[in-house]
Amino acid sequence: MEITRQGYVFFQNSNTNLIRGYLNSVSYIMAMSNADSSGTTTLISSSQGGSTAITSIHQQSAATNLGGQQKIHLPNPFDLTDSQILDRVYLTHVNDDEICNTSILFGLVSNLILQGSYSTISTVSFKPEFPTLKLISCQMIGTKHGPQCVHQTALWILQHLRCYSWDAKALITLAAFSLEYGNFILLSRTPTQDILGSSLRQLNQIQERKISSEITELLSFIVKAFHHIKVWATWSSEGYDPEEVPTLTEALQEVPLVVYWTIASIVASTGNLLAFTEYSLSEFRERLAAVVKKLADHLEICKLEIGYIDDYLSRRRIFEKPKDIVDLLKALILPNNGAQVPQIYQGTIQIKQVNLIISFANNFNKELVNIIKYIQGLEVFKEKHVLLFISSLYSIGDEIMLLNCLHDRLQESPKEWKGFKKEDFKILWIPVVEWDEAKREQFKTWKNSIKWYAVECYSELPGGRIISEPEGLNYMGKPILPVYNPQGYKANEDAMGLIFQWGIDAFPFRKTDAADLILKWKWLWDIIRKVAPGLQVQGDRYLFIFGGSNKKWIQDFTLEVEKVKRHESVKRADVIIDKYELGSSVPSFWIGIERMRQNKKHQEAVDCEIQGIAKSLFCLKRDPEGWAILTKGQNIKLLGHGEAMYRTLAEFQSWKDKVFEKEGFDIAFKEYYDVKVKEIADRQPCSIVNVDSSNYGSSVIATITCPNPTCGRVMEVTSVNYKCCHRDNNDSNYCGY
């Protein structure tokens, strides 16, 4: 076999039998590597003297019969485009089934290639495939001069390593080169008096070789190139979703090219090391550097994509199993990449460490010091229940007003309810917005109008994906209000509707609280629907259900309801008011109440509440004027006496502005109603009944109801005097409403 300067391979006819095996072994490689514009031809091995062999290769190549010799044209890789090389290299790759411990192998190779930076490698159980390394080494040593032959050998190596991963292909080839390279280094350092070493040095012709700066520089660059391949291989093995890290797939287009030019460069370096060839290694480095640059650019983007998904997964783990509420909030709003930390405000006050202010304030106001020390970033939420208000900036006026009023109600008495302290409940607003200057100004306006906490973050929220996905907070654009306990676990996935319907009565805003409230009033609604089957109740409307024996009060009350219903303030507040008079159904209504009052079972706290409601309703029954029930949807807001209910409506002009300030029409109504009830009660003196104890004996302490027809409450026993001031009993054992 002879290879000319032009890259043609000549086979003598007399050597046909010898080369047949060679042709069979490389025919697949030749099929992939031979390219020429002359079209599809057939490679023929002819015979003289009776021995014939025909090998057909469907390939873009040229074979020319030159008087008994065959000339096969091998392409110059420098004349091929990246796309042409990629097509050929891809065909050599089958799978990644073969196992190669690239970490240990690279440690061994780098100790030889990168001298001066040795690393200790644990190689007790590591056994490299020496036959494979030696075979590849021999193949590279036997490669004749010419880039065409380098190309042929590179493809042969890729075909031989077809079942290895891409990073393993490059590393195994570099390890095969290291056998010869390390042998040269070791023998060149052998002392002359070492007879055995000198003999080996002479046999290996060490004196004829040299390691040029081109070789060392190219080898250093090859190691850097391998690092890029290894990074890609490591990330690919992590199982990232291609849709989440799409650039990792794009980088795969460059990896085979980097591997090919790495192997080709190693083959060329082998020839120069052995002094068989004098390749210009800079040409190989230029082609390798070009594809490495493309791969490196892809990896930089991959790094960002993987960083994003790793950050998300880390936050997701914290969100699902937080240490406490502060840990959960950090997962949602605090960045990990050094970006600007979102600010937390309480209205216009920024919540942060203010040691300088603390020091200054310490001189004149101890209480101010305690307040400032308390509000320090997210720590303000430590050991607190948090209502997370998540919304855009669009059409959130009703929600802002509701939460402002809820914040006020959390400051009112009673301070403790259902075993929870109201002061332990905090509201935090996390706006989800694509920011621009106009939206920043809009947010500042809203922020200045609230009394609770808000997150100011003008970039993408770090936990935005968790906020929007169904497995997280499931925010879809409509305002939501999930509730979290101090341990960071969800108590209610969205309490917004619950609070709109029930207000502070829904405290502490768990799903079970809604169920208790529904149960608390269900029995009364069952009675109402039974006596008034045509009654329509809608969740966002206010409804007055009323009755009584005083027809004038009925007429006056009806008239005032209509006036308030049509008032401009009510319309601007987007409040809808309906009314329903029970009329002839009143007796049936009170019969149903009486049956419930006679039910003495108090198995649960709600049973006690129901009994209190029934007793309060009987107080209304005795009112000579009339009575009214104010509801918002299914939520019964107020059981009211006739005169106080009428005056509250008649004097609407005095409290109309409160409709906008409070969380709803019902709250403003009840506040003014309570004022009217007190005024009426103050005009009526306490009723006293004197009892002669000698006539009653031991039964003198029996309960007696107030004789005032507008009251009907249990009278307080004072010695032998019974007294009632027409207000609810404060006895802790009283099961009243």
Side-chain angles (χ1 to χ4, degrees):
M1 180 176 68
E2 178 184 356
I3 300 179
T4 67
R5 286 286 182 183
Q6 289 75 24
Y8 293 103
V9 180
F10 292 93
F11 297 100
Q12 300 295 337
N13 290 338
S14 59
N15 293 331
T16 298
N17 292 332
L18 296 177
I19 68 169
R20 183 182 295 117
Y22 176 77
L23 279 174
N24 290 335
S25 66
V26 302
S27 61
Y28 179 73
I29 305 302
M30 296 291 292
M32 294 181 292
S33 64
N34 296 341
D36 187 78
S37 60
S38 59
T40 301
T41 61
T42 303
L43 176 65
I44 303 175
S45 291
S46 64
S47 174
Q48 293 179 2
S51 177
T52 62
I54 299 178
T55 305
S56 244
I57 302 178
H58 190 68
Q59 167 65 34
Q60 288 184 340
S61 63
T64 307
N65 189 340
L66 300 178
Q69 295 182 336
Q70 286 78 40
K71 181 174 70 173
I72 303 173
H73 180 64
L74 301 178
N76 186 332
F78 294 103
D79 295 335
L80 299 177
T81 64
D82 286 346
S83 179
Q84 289 173 318
I85 293 175
L86 188 62
D87 289 342
R88 289 156 174 77
V89 172
Y90 258 137
L91 291 175
T92 66
H93 186 68
V94 178
N95 53 54
D96 298 348
D97 292 346
E98 293 289 346
I99 298 174
C100 177
N101 192 325
T102 55
S103 298
I104 295 179
L105 185 58
F106 179 74
L108 296 172
V109 170
S110 61
N111 282 341
L112 294 171
I113 302 297
L114 304 176
Q115 298 177 52
S117 57
Y118 299 108
S119 58
T120 303
I121 307 297
S122 176
T123 60
V124 175
S125 59
F126 179 69
K127 293 181 180 180
E129 289 291 333
F130 181 75
T132 299
L133 298 179
K134 199 65 177 178
L135 180 61
I136 293 173
S137 176
C138 292
Q139 187 69 27
M140 292 191 295
I141 292 172
T143 300
K144 297 299 182 178
H145 181 72
Q148 298 90 339
C149 298
V150 170
H151 173 67
Q152 182 185 24
T153 299
L155 290 177
W156 181 91
I157 293 172
L158 287 167
Q159 171 66 10
H160 192 76
L161 301 176
R162 58 188 175 276
C163 294
Y164 285 89
S165 62
W166 290 108
D167 57 323
K169 296 177 196 289
L171 183 57
I172 291 173
T173 305
L174 186 59
F177 170 81
S178 298
L179 291 178
E180 195 64 33
Y181 186 77
N183 186 50
F184 169 79
I185 293 173
L186 183 62
L187 291 177
S188 64
R189 297 176 180 177
T190 302
T192 54
Q193 60 270 25
D194 186 341
I195 299 175
L196 179 60
S198 297
S199 300
L200 283 173
R201 186 168 57 248
Q202 188 170 359
L203 285 173
N204 283 273
Q205 301 180 17
I206 300 301
Q207 66 279 5
E208 302 294 332
R209 307 184 196 178
K210 64 177 181 178
I211 300 179
S212 65
S213 59
E214 265 198 325
I215 293 178
T216 56
E217 291 173 3
L218 180 56
L219 290 176
S220 297
F221 189 77
I222 287 173
V223 172
K224 293 179 181 178
F226 176 76
H227 276 297
H228 289 301
I229 301 171
K230 185 61 179 175
V231 168
W232 173 85
T234 300
W235 287 345
S236 297
S237 66
E238 295 293 331
Y240 291 108
D241 189 334
E243 292 185 0
E244 295 178 337
V245 191
T247 313
L248 199 58
T249 303
E250 295 174 12
L252 179 56
Q253 299 296 314
E254 309 301 334
V255 170
L257 290 172
V258 174
V259 172
Y260 168 82
W261 282 109
T262 295
I263 294 175
S265 299
I266 293 172
V267 174
S269 297
T270 301
N272 283 15
L273 174 65
L274 298 174
F276 293 165
T277 59
E278 295 180 357
Y279 291 112
S280 176
L281 297 181
S282 60
E283 295 179 359
F284 287 90
R285 177 170 176 168
E286 286 177 9
R287 288 297 295 265
L288 176 59
V291 291
V292 167
K293 174 66 167 57
K294 293 180 182 178
L295 177 59
D297 291 343
H298 283 306
L299 293 180
E300 281 299 313
I301 301 174
C302 285
K303 184 178 180 180
L304 296 176
E305 293 172 346
I306 290 173
Y308 177 82
I309 190 64
D310 285 347
D311 179 69
Y312 159 73
L313 292 174
S314 174
R315 293 176 186 277
R316 180 77 197 191
R317 285 191 292 269
I318 295 173
F319 179 80
E320 292 175 349
K321 293 185 178 180
K323 298 177 183 176
D324 57 17
I325 184 62
V326 173
D327 200 35
L328 179 133
L329 293 176
K330 287 179 180 179
L332 293 178
I333 64 178
L334 290 187
N336 293 330
N337 55 4
Q340 184 176 1
V341 177
Q343 304 301 316
I344 298 177
Y345 287 82
Q346 185 176 17
T348 58
I349 303 173
Q350 183 177 351
I351 310 303
K352 59 181 180 179
Q353 294 277 6
V354 280
N355 296 327
L356 187 61
I357 298 178
I358 292 174
S359 176
F360 175 73
N362 192 40
N363 295 324
F364 68 92
N365 194 330
K366 184 176 181 180
E367 183 178 358
L368 177 61
V369 172
N370 292 333
I371 294 174
I372 293 175
K373 284 182 177 179
Y374 179 68
I375 51 175
Q376 298 175 355
L378 285 176
E379 293 300 315
V380 73
F381 302 105
K382 192 173 184 63
E383 298 181 0
K384 304 297 179 184
H385 300 261
V386 177
L387 286 72
L388 281 178
F389 176 45
I390 300 174
S391 74
S392 65
L393 301 179
Y394 176 73
S395 188
I396 56 172
D398 291 344
E399 287 80 5
I400 294 289
M401 184 172 67
L402 175 72
L403 295 177
N404 271 340
C405 294
L406 181 64
H407 175 268
D408 291 341
R409 300 297 295 276
L410 288 172
Q411 319 308 314
E412 297 174 355
S413 296
K415 297 295 184 181
E416 189 169 335
W417 193 6
K418 299 181 182 178
F420 295 88
K421 294 181 179 179
K422 288 184 177 179
E423 65 182 13
D424 288 340
F425 284 75
K426 305 295 179 184
I427 304 171
L428 175 62
W429 182 19
I430 303 180
V432 181
V433 180
E434 293 183 5
W435 296 102
D436 56 32
E437 192 58 36
K439 289 178 180 176
R440 290 189 184 193
E441 291 303 317
Q442 186 181 5
F443 171 68
K444 289 178 181 178
T445 301
W446 283 123
K447 184 181 68 177
N448 294 339
S449 71
I450 67 176
K451 305 174 183 179
W452 21 279
Y453 300 94
V455 175
E456 183 181 271
C457 179
Y458 293 138
S459 57
E460 183 181 0
L461 280 168
R465 182 171 174 180
I466 296 174
I467 290 173
S468 62
E469 63 186 4
E471 298 81 8
L473 298 181
N474 197 27
Y475 172 71
M476 303 296 289
K478 181 181 178 181
I480 59 173
L481 192 72
V483 182
Y484 284 87
N485 63 24
Q487 291 74 42
Y489 290 94
K490 193 181 297 182
N492 192 337
E493 61 188 13
D494 186 7
M496 187 68 76
L498 176 67
I499 295 172
F500 261 118
Q501 182 176 1
W502 301 98
I504 192 65
D505 292 341
F507 181 88
F509 317 115
R510 302 161 300 185
K511 282 188 174 182
T512 54
D513 296 307
D516 289 344
L517 286 169
I518 292 172
L519 182 62
K520 175 181 173 180
W521 295 108
K522 181 180 181 298
W523 67 275
L524 182 55
W525 280 113
D526 290 343
I527 294 173
I528 293 173
R529 289 192 179 94
K530 189 173 183 179
V531 300
L535 178 63
Q536 298 293 324
V537 180
Q538 299 186 34
D540 57 346
R541 295 191 176 200
Y542 292 95
L543 173 66
F544 285 98
I545 302 173
F546 60 98
S549 57
N550 189 326
K551 293 184 178 180
K552 184 178 185 307
W553 180 88
I554 293 289
Q555 292 174 353
D556 292 344
F557 184 81
T558 302
L559 179 62
E560 293 303 326
V561 171
E562 287 296 327
K563 287 181 180 179
V564 172
K565 179 179 179 179
R566 294 184 174 88
H567 198 281
E568 188 62 31
S569 297
V570 171
K571 292 181 179 179
R572 283 191 289 111
D574 198 24
V575 172
I576 301 175
I577 300 173
D578 293 328
K579 65 182 186 304
Y580 189 91
E581 181 190 357
L582 286 184
S584 60
S585 302
V586 168
S588 300
F589 175 74
W590 292 118
I591 290 172
I593 301 298
E594 175 64 21
R595 288 177 179 173
M596 179 57 66
R597 192 174 70 89
Q598 292 173 353
N599 182 4
K600 301 300 182 180
K601 293 189 299 181
H602 294 175
Q603 296 178 352
E604 298 180 6
V606 69
D607 295 324
C608 182
E609 291 186 84
I610 290 172
Q611 285 298 309
I613 294 168
K615 291 178 181 179
S616 296
L617 286 167
F618 264 89
C619 291
L620 300 183
K621 180 182 179 182
R622 298 187 184 97
D623 194 316
E625 297 289 332
W627 53 269
I629 300 173
L630 174 60
T631 79
K632 182 182 181 182
Q634 299 290 331
N635 183 9
I636 294 180
K637 295 289 188 177
L638 180 63
L639 307 177
H641 286 277
E643 184 180 356
M645 293 291 280
Y646 167 75
R647 288 193 179 186
T648 301
L649 289 171
E651 298 173 18
F652 179 68
Q653 196 69 23
S654 300
W655 56 276
K656 63 180 182 180
D657 294 336
K658 295 289 185 180
V659 175
F660 294 96
E661 298 173 9
K662 300 299 177 180
E663 63 193 78
F665 171 82
D666 54 302
I667 301 301
F669 185 98
K670 188 176 185 305
E671 283 190 2
Y672 199 82
Y673 169 83
D674 289 340
V675 173
K676 295 290 105 179
V677 168
K678 187 176 185 305
E679 289 179 0
I680 295 170
D682 289 343
R683 293 200 314 265
Q684 298 177 357
C686 297
S687 297
I688 300 175
V689 176
N690 294 314
V691 179
D692 186 354
S693 59
S694 62
N695 295 333
Y696 283 88
S698 61
S699 64
V700 71
I701 60 172
T703 58
I704 299 177
T705 57
C706 178
N708 190 312
T710 65
C711 181
R713 291 173 172 78
V714 174
M715 300 187 73
E716 178 184 354
V717 179
T718 305
S719 184
V720 291
N721 297 318
Y722 283 85
K723 174 183 175 182
C724 181
C725 293
H726 321 301
R727 288 184 289 274
D728 288 331
N729 195 330
N730 292 324
D731 188 347
S732 60
N733 294 321
Y734 177 65
C735 190
Y737 176 67

